[in-house]
Amino acid sequence: MRTDARRATPADSDLDPGFFDADAQQSLAWLAWSDPAAIDARIERLFAETLPRLEAVRGTEGRPSLDDRFSVAAFDWITALIEVAVRGEDGRYAPENDHLADQFVTYIGEWMVRRVEGVWFNSPGNGAPIFDQYGPAVGYRWSPESTNDLVALLFMMAVNSDDSPYAYFVDLLCERGLVFAEERDRPDLKAEILA
């Protein structure tokens, strides 16, 4: 059950100051993609179908308990599998894996929504090449710097880098999670991230 489901409305311009597209928050394609049931379904598919297939290829070494899908250990392990999931034999992003990328983008963003009080919003210019009419992004009301994460853009930067994409997502976790833990006096989350 989703406890922190939230998506932006046209009035939430503080999530992306100077760039927020109020009309895009009401786009039918975006509303369908960001519907809580659709998000939950993609995450369920990731855990029920995609991760077991990736484990068959990569093995299960270091696999944490996935009883809490939104633990830091689960985030860490799942993002470590992205490379195997979406890169082709040449080591570059393979467009035929857009459906898998969609699952990972959903999971990463939803982790930020649930664990660090993020808010989903549509940044339509930042969804390509995975998404056509919308760009999944997460903003943070608690951040004094009006920080946001253009999740699809970050995902593509990570998987197209010469390094492992894993480091990009660990950086994201630390940058958002640790700052949030400090801002909200959450030593439990800080300890979990630093463990």
Side-chain angles (χ1 to χ4, degrees), residues 2 13 25 40 43 73 84 86 111 117 125 150 152 170:
R2 299 187 47 189
S13 62
Q25 307 319 305
D40 288 345
I43 290 171
V84 177
V86 300
W111 197 99
E117 295 180 10
L150 305 171
V170 170

Side-chain angles (χ1 to χ4, degrees), residues 70-137:
F70 295 95
S71 69
V72 170
F75 180 93
D76 190 58
W77 184 73
I78 289 167
T79 57
L81 295 174
I82 288 173
E83 189 169 13
V84 177
V86 300
R87 286 185 170 177
E89 291 179 15
D90 62 356
R92 305 308 286 167
Y93 180 76
E96 62 268 18
N97 291 327
D98 282 355
H99 66 290
L100 299 174
D102 184 22
Q103 293 172 28
F104 283 102
V105 166
T106 301
Y107 174 78
I108 292 163
E110 187 65 9
W111 197 99
M112 304 314 279
V113 167
R114 292 185 188 210
R115 294 300 305 269
V116 296
E117 295 180 10
V119 178
W120 282 111
F121 73 94
N122 183 10
S123 180
N126 294 296
I130 304 169
F131 307 103
D132 277 344
Q133 304 167 37
Y134 51 88

